[in-house]
Amino acid sequence: MHQLRSIRSRILLGTCLSLAAALPGAAIASDLVGTVSDATDTRALQSAQVRLVELGRTAEADRDGSFRFSDVPAGTYTLEARYVGAAPVTRTVEVPASGTVTANLVLGTDGSILVIGQAANLSSSLSRQRAADGVESVLTRDGIGQFPDQNVAESLRRLPGVNILDDQGEGRFVSIRGLDPELNAASVNGVRLPAPESDVRSVALDVISSDIIESIEVKKSLTPDMDADTIGASIEIRTTSAFDRKKDLLVVKAEGSYNDLTESVSPKGSFDFSKKLGDNVGVAGGVSYYKRKFATNNQEMDGWDEDDGLVYADTVEYRDYDVERERISASLSFDFRVGDTTTLYARGLYSQFDDQEYRRRLTFEMDEAPSAGDANGVSFDADDGEISVQRDLKDRFERQRIRSLVFGGETDSGPWNLKYSASWAKSSEKEAGSIDPVVYERVFEDGDGFGVDFDYRRDRIVPYAITSGVAAFLDPSEYELDKVELTTLSDARDREYALKADIARSFAMQDGAFTLQFGTKARWRKKSYNADLEVYEWDGADDLTLDMHDLLGPHDYDLAAIEPMLAKKKFRPFFFQNIGSFELDDGDTFEESEVADFMVKEDVLAGYALGRWDSDTLRIIGGVRVEQTKNDIRGKEVILDDETVTPLRFTRKYTDWLPSLTFRFEPQQNLVLRAAGYRSLVRPKLSKLAPNVIIDDDEGEAGNPFLKPYRAWNADLSAEYYFGRNAAVSAGFFWKDIKDYIVDVTEFDTSYNGIDLDELTTAINGESAEIKGFEFSYSQQMSFLPAPFDGLLAQFNYTYTDAKGTLVSYDGDDQPYLRTIALPASSKHTFNAVLGYEKGPVSLRVAGTYRDKYLDEAGGAANEDRIVADQFKLDLSAKFRITPGVRIFAEWVNVTDAPYFAYQQFEGRRRLLQYEDYSWTAKFGVSANF
């Protein structure tokens, strides 16, 4: 603690001294400043490399294109600017003995395409990648606001080492280098985004539309000035700024999308703008709206077992999803220049994601082994054991919101540089009034004359056939209401405040510059979840059966016959109009409402110190970061048998020292070598820390407020070669050694707080995990080919990941043992390939993405693991320029109708756990820029 106070004192003292030095009157003589822009004077060229040749000093253009060299001796110098996709430009500059000299540079005067289209996206991305301190991949929009995909997660799918975990066929969570999405961190405009969901840290990036995004940077290695709470990567999203551009911009888009399963058209529209209000003030922002209707065919199976040589599942479900998602995203940014040395900004983001889901489900539950069968299928007969047939409906509306606001600035006065910001972010997920689900059930018993067969010849789809009792099976009057579960409230909230300051002093030296930099950051986070659920049973004079009150409706399910089935929208009004005829089940309501509530506070105080050497060939960044974490954790102990609730509270504090060292070496022009070694951590899920304990009879589940964070040593080596006009090839190795990997375990014949239990499920810190792998990337604009092939562009990347850890499993006698597993969400092989064509008014693109199979959830033994099969997705897009400012476009998404297939490798075969298909979606629209 004394060390931390000492560090804070030194940082505060240094900050005060530097503020004093930055006051007017402290200007340093002989500063060389300027901007880099494209030849059309449309946009600033961020990350253009500017070199002061005679002094061997380099600088990268900021997002407004500006650069600065301080302490330049009087003399005549050659100023050189380089940007991927353009020929280098040089300029002679006379620097006097004192004062400030301005030298602006313009690239692309030779006709290079630096602003619009796929070539511009490629040039900008490669330039930022090349200029980066460490290993990173970048996606950017072009000068008229065009971004490759519909949401942030979908766009990231194109980058090396990135695997996207889909939800209902749309990219949602991001796995990088084979690591669980929980081990990544996401920020917008430098603000760490909290997670809307109650039980995760990872942010569902489908909440944010790509229409309001300027760039996405995936930083795979860390330096001391970065938050250290990531092991996979830091995903940094930036919205637009008026200073990004030299000219004002207004872009308007109107779009429709047609889904093959729903046979309906969904609307999408957006506008974004950038406006300079004079030389020193700018405003930029945008709004995007998307309403997507789609359907999913789903089948799920559970309870795989073996009896007398017959392999079977005791639960089979056929699910028909109809989903309507509405996304509203907005951003607004103000930028100010205060004098020659200071810029200030204010940036806000708002995203709202509404998800209305209707799910109709037919479920078979068998309580005995099959009556007959073989390897190709099994037969169940109600005379040998009960068969429950359920027909249910889920009518759920969920709203997620992400909001962030940041105020900050930068003062760059000669050799001193000061950056500062204050931010607020809040995410939430809320349900109120969802019916999840309403269940009608018919239990077939001995003497009912009912039988059903399941055909196992196909591993992805398992059809059923009713062998006897067809009339009763199809008769809605046979099915009685079992229960209604009403979510009166499901409210997850996650908010964070932060203050940050960085101060740097640069020293001009022979053949380069040395910079000392210090900084501090404080973050205050609070996450809570509150759930109130009510379980109802029918209390009318007669049984409520499925045929009553005109509640049935059609469906569009393709995998099996699931009728008779409830209509999507009829039960809700019936339930609330007749709620007096329903009785509240106090016991089930108590259980569902008390088990999940929690509140966790997480305060992080960080400080760092680093040294940075920059020359025209070598950059070295070394230093250390220290982060102190405080937790205030609150939950409850719930004993279901006697319905008692006991509040629980824990507090704790720990400190991590996190060194890092990064090298960037350019032994010859266009060849960049990188090496990085650093230590990082990821704190446990706040929901797993919550000390919620649920005891039911002799079984229990418990959170663990004593979980340690994941801690990792990381190393990266890479080489990048930039060639031709707009091309690059890169290769790299990565290695990670993770300690205290968190796993869920079930302990047998144990006790909790003096209560003897047959089994207890909780989270613990397990053994270590090791990740190593290889990345390769190739991108090129084929301008060297003869016409008309000179419009071709190609991009390809491949990643190999070997991610392994150890896990406690149990044998047939419930005895624990350690086994080696592939880490969850880790695909061994992933690749992305894009072939584009852009010439004249025509722009075409074919994009394919492949990911290998991966472990989704680890079971108690290897044959209980949930594995997601490999997948290849293909998308096509086309654009045509009608006038210089108007374009029409079309996209064909998921051309190959790539399904989602999860299975269990049990008794020598893949056994179905979940299958989904979504068919394809066609999009079409028009965009206009002014």
Side-chain angles (χ1 to χ4, degrees):
M1 185 67 191
H2 173 74
Q3 289 177 315
L4 281 172
R5 284 197 297 267
S6 177
I7 290 174
R8 290 199 296 268
S9 299
R10 290 196 297 270
I11 291 172
L12 182 60
L13 176 60
T15 301
C16 295
L17 292 173
S18 59
L19 280 169
L23 292 173
I28 304 300
S30 304
D31 283 358
L32 175 57
V33 300
T35 61
V36 186
S37 60
D38 74 284
T40 65
D41 202 30
T42 298
R43 68 183 299 180
L45 296 182
Q46 180 179 348
S47 296
Q49 185 183 60
V50 184
R51 187 163 69 107
L52 202 53
V53 176
E54 287 77 9
L55 297 182
R57 293 171 60 182
T58 61
E60 275 78 43
D62 207 343
R63 66 181 300 174
D64 62 354
S66 64
F67 64 89
R68 174 184 291 268
F69 292 98
S70 300
D71 293 337
V72 180
T76 302
Y77 296 96
T78 303
L79 200 61
E80 179 188 70
R82 290 178 175 269
Y83 189 82
V84 176
V89 169
T90 59
R91 175 178 173 176
T92 301
V93 181
E94 293 287 341
V95 177
S98 62
T100 299
V101 177
T102 300
N104 297 327
L105 298 163
V106 177
L107 293 171
T109 55
D110 59 347
S112 306
I113 302 173
L114 301 178
V115 178
I116 298 173
Q118 299 179 59
N121 289 131
L122 181 60
S123 294
S124 178
S125 297
L126 290 180
S127 294
R128 296 194 196 187
Q129 173 185 297
R130 175 177 174 167
D133 292 332
V135 179
E136 72 176 61
S137 301
V138 186
L139 284 169
T140 68
R141 62 193 271 165
D142 68 8
I144 58 171
Q146 298 180 114
F147 213 77
D149 298 280
Q150 65 183 351
N151 69 49
V152 171
E154 289 287 343
S155 297
L156 287 168
R157 195 189 298 273
R158 314 298 177 198
L159 294 179
V162 175
N163 179 23
I164 302 300
L165 278 60
D166 293 342
D167 176 61
Q168 300 283 8
E170 186 177 19
R172 191 164 176 80
F173 291 101
V174 181
S175 169
I176 297 174
R177 289 178 164 176
L179 291 172
D180 191 301
E182 292 293 306
L183 302 185
N184 300 323
S187 62
V188 173
N189 297 321
V191 182
R192 272 287 187 258
L193 288 182
E197 290 90 342
S198 64
D199 59 343
V200 299
R201 277 188 182 270
S202 52
V203 178
L205 293 178
D206 59 346
V207 178
I208 304 173
S209 170
S210 64
D211 291 323
I212 64 170
I213 300 303
E214 190 276 329
S215 68
I216 310 171
E217 299 178 359
V218 179
K219 297 188 175 181
K220 302 174 184 177
S221 63
L222 303 182
T223 51
D225 54 330
M226 298 172 61
D227 289 320
D229 56 349
T230 179
I231 295 175
S234 177
I235 303 167
E236 301 189 1
I237 303 164
R238 288 185 178 181
T239 59
T240 55
S241 163
F243 289 172
D244 293 342
R245 306 180 52 81
K246 296 297 183 180
K247 294 180 179 179
D248 295 340
L249 176 71
L250 173 64
V251 179
V252 180
K253 296 180 184 178
E255 179 182 317
S257 63
Y258 174 85
N259 180 259
D260 180 49
L261 288 183
T262 62
E263 299 181 346
S264 63
V265 177
S266 302
K268 181 181 180 182
S270 68
F271 74 88
D272 65 280
F273 68 94
S274 176
K275 175 70 176 176
K276 290 280 189 68
L277 306 175
D279 293 336
N280 298 317
V281 180
V283 59
V287 176
S288 174
Y289 173 83
Y290 185 25
K291 188 173 186 178
R292 179 183 178 226
K293 293 182 178 179
F294 61 98
T296 301
N297 297 311
N298 170 290
Q299 182 179 1
E300 301 191 17
M301 301 179 73
D302 197 11
W304 284 99
D305 204 349
E306 183 272 335
D307 182 78
D308 198 21
L310 290 180
V311 178
Y312 68 97
D314 64 18
T315 303
V316 184
E317 300 180 1
Y318 301 89
R319 302 182 174 197
D320 176 30
Y321 287 92
D322 290 282
V323 183
E324 184 175 292
R325 287 180 173 172
E326 190 174 52
R327 180 192 296 116
I328 302 172
S329 295
S331 69
L332 188 62
S333 176
F334 293 93
D335 291 88
F336 311 88
R337 287 194 180 96
V338 184
D340 295 331
T341 61
T342 298
T343 59
L344 303 174
Y345 61 84
R347 310 197 198 286
L349 172 79
Y350 177 86
S351 275
Q352 179 174 300
F353 184 81
D354 292 346
D355 190 358
Q356 173 65 64
E357 179 181 296
Y358 297 101
R359 184 204 66 206
R360 273 82 65 83
R361 176 172 60 178
L362 169 64
T363 302
F364 296 89
E365 290 184 353
M366 287 69 65
D367 71 350
E368 295 292 341
S371 303
D374 56 28
N376 293 322
V378 293
S379 300
F380 291 91
D381 193 316
D383 290 344
D384 297 325
E386 288 185 356
I387 301 175
S388 169
V389 181
Q390 301 164 21
R391 301 181 186 272
D392 68 56
L393 165 72
K394 175 166 74 171
D395 174 1
R396 187 212 67 196
F397 177 80
E398 177 183 273
R399 171 168 289 173
Q400 292 186 355
R401 286 177 173 154
I402 293 179
R403 291 140 286 186
S404 71
L405 188 62
V406 58
F407 300 92
E410 179 178 5
T411 298
D412 193 348
S413 57
W416 289 98
N417 180 274
L418 178 65
K419 296 178 181 178
Y420 34 87
S421 66
S423 64
W424 166 86
K426 183 177 181 179
S427 295
S428 61
E429 180 184 78
K430 189 173 184 179
E431 289 182 51
S434 294
I435 296 174
D436 185 9
V438 49
V439 181
Y440 286 79
E441 182 180 31
R442 168 66 156 97
V443 178
F444 293 93
E445 301 173 317
D446 186 11
D448 287 339
F450 179 76
V452 59
D453 288 357
F454 296 100
D455 187 345
Y456 293 164
R457 284 176 292 183
R458 298 168 62 190
D459 58 2
R460 296 191 174 213
I461 301 175
V462 176
Y464 76 89
I466 304 303
T467 55
S468 59
V470 174
F473 175 76
L474 296 176
D475 185 355
S477 66
E478 292 283 331
Y479 294 83
E480 298 178 3
L481 182 76
D482 178 50
K483 64 178 178 178
V484 180
E485 295 189 14
L486 177 67
T487 303
T488 56
L489 181 66
S490 174
D491 188 9
R493 302 183 184 187
D494 198 349
R495 68 105 179 102
E496 179 171 302
Y497 295 94
L499 293 174
K500 181 181 180 182
D502 303 275
I503 184 167
R505 173 60 160 95
S506 180
F507 301 89
M509 305 179 74
Q510 185 176 1
D511 298 326
F514 179 71
T515 302
L516 281 175
Q517 184 171 320
F518 305 90
T520 185
K521 185 174 183 179
R523 300 162 60 187
W524 299 272
R525 184 175 186 178
K526 178 182 177 181
K527 190 177 186 77
S528 63
Y529 180 63
N530 182 31
D532 290 308
L533 289 86
E534 297 175 350
V535 181
Y536 289 90
E537 297 176 344
W538 178 248
D539 194 35
D542 300 312
D543 291 334
L544 180 61
T545 56
L546 190 57
D547 63 320
M548 300 171 66
H549 304 288
D550 189 29
L551 298 177
L552 298 179
H555 67 86
D556 55 3
Y557 187 66
D558 296 336
L559 302 183
I562 62 172
E563 63 273 346
M565 190 55 66
L566 288 165
K568 291 188 293 185
K569 300 182 180 181
K570 290 184 177 181
F571 186 83
R572 174 180 291 276
F574 167 77
F575 174 70
F576 286 107
Q577 291 166 11
N578 297 276
I579 197 165
S581 298
F582 289 84
E583 180 183 21
L584 187 69
D585 185 322
D586 294 326
D588 287 349
T589 297
F590 172 82
E591 177 178 350
E592 296 294 336
S593 297
E594 295 291 344
V595 297
D597 298 352
F598 70 88
M599 189 281 291
V600 179
K601 291 181 179 180
E602 182 178 83
D603 298 340
V604 179
L605 178 62
Y608 73 89
L610 67 82
R612 176 186 179 111
W613 167 258
D614 262 309
S615 71
D616 56 358
T617 60
L618 180 64
R619 180 181 304 161
I620 304 174
I621 304 172
V624 64
R625 185 179 186 90
V626 57
E627 295 195 352
Q628 182 189 78
T629 306
K630 293 182 180 179
N631 287 126
D632 183 353
I633 311 167
R634 307 184 191 193
K636 58 182 71 171
E637 179 185 88
V638 180
I639 309 297
L640 295 179
D641 291 344
D642 53 11
E643 296 189 357
T644 61
V645 179
T646 304
L648 299 175
R649 181 180 181 184
F650 296 86
T651 60
R652 67 174 191 169
K653 179 173 63 176
Y654 54 90
T655 301
D656 289 277
W657 293 85
L658 307 159
S660 74
L661 184 62
T662 299
F663 293 87
R664 181 191 182 276
F665 180 50
E666 195 166 353
Q668 65 183 56
Q669 198 70 256
N670 298 323
L671 176 62
V672 180
L673 307 178
R674 303 180 194 272
Y678 57 97
R679 193 167 187 248
S680 62
L681 78 158
V682 170
R683 297 171 181 90
K685 289 182 184 180
L686 299 180
S687 58
K688 286 190 179 293
L689 285 176
N692 284 346
V693 183
I694 301 98
I695 307 294
D696 185 9
D697 293 329
D698 296 324
E699 298 181 359
E701 296 182 13
N704 186 350
F706 304 106
L707 283 174
K708 301 176 185 177
Y710 302 76
R711 293 183 171 96
W713 284 102
N714 311 264
D716 284 273
L717 291 171
S718 69
E720 303 158 14
Y721 181 63
Y722 299 84
F723 61 97
R725 177 58 63 87
N726 195 0
V729 60
S730 64
F733 296 90
F734 56 89
W735 172 86
K736 299 175 183 292
D737 182 27
I738 305 175
K739 303 297 184 185
D740 296 321
Y741 205 89
I742 296 173
V743 294
D744 293 326
V745 298
T746 300
E747 301 173 355
F748 297 93
D749 297 325
T750 185
S751 63
Y752 180 87
N753 200 21
I755 303 173
D756 292 331
L757 299 172
D758 291 340
E759 59 182 70
L760 174 68
T761 301
T762 188
I764 65 169
N765 290 106
E767 302 295 325
S768 63
E770 185 179 58
I771 299 98
K772 54 184 180 291
F774 168 79
E775 291 178 337
F776 172 82
S777 179
Y778 161 77
S779 303
Q780 187 168 18
Q781 180 183 356
M782 309 289 189
S783 55
F784 59 89
L785 294 176
F789 304 107
D790 55 344
L792 287 171
L793 299 95
Q795 294 176 269
F796 175 84
N797 62 70
Y798 166 79
T799 303
Y800 170 82
T801 302
D802 181 18
K804 294 180 180 178
T806 53
L807 178 72
V808 176
S809 294
Y810 294 87
D811 60 22
D813 297 322
D814 292 336
Q815 295 301 309
Y817 67 96
L818 291 178
R819 67 181 174 104
T820 300
I821 63 167
L823 297 184
S826 167
S827 292
K828 183 161 285 189
H829 305 281
T830 59
F831 74 77
N832 301 282
V834 176
L835 181 63
Y837 182 81
E838 199 165 59
K839 192 172 179 67
V842 176
S843 178
L844 307 172
R845 190 180 74 150
V846 181
T849 302
Y850 172 82
R851 60 150 179 78
D852 203 358
K853 66 181 181 181
Y854 64 86
L855 176 68
D856 190 34
E857 296 176 5
N863 63 2
E864 297 175 5
D865 290 345
R866 178 186 173 96
I867 301 168
V868 176
D870 61 343
Q871 185 185 72
F872 176 75
K873 296 184 71 173
L874 184 68
D875 300 331
L876 307 178
S877 65
K879 299 175 184 176
F880 184 80
R881 187 178 71 245
I882 299 175
T883 71
V886 179
R887 288 167 173 77
I888 58 174
F889 59 88
E891 298 179 44
W892 189 6
V893 181
N894 195 21
V895 176
T896 52
D897 189 15
Y900 174 92
F901 172 45
Y903 63 91
Q904 185 176 325
Q905 192 70 39
F906 183 74
E907 293 293 327
R909 278 178 54 177
R910 299 195 301 183
R911 308 292 178 175
L912 173 65
L913 294 178
Q914 182 178 349
Y915 172 87
E916 288 185 353
D917 65 48
Y918 321 98
S919 194
W920 51 267
T921 297
K923 302 181 180 183
F924 46 88
V926 60
S927 67
N929 60 280
F930 307 95

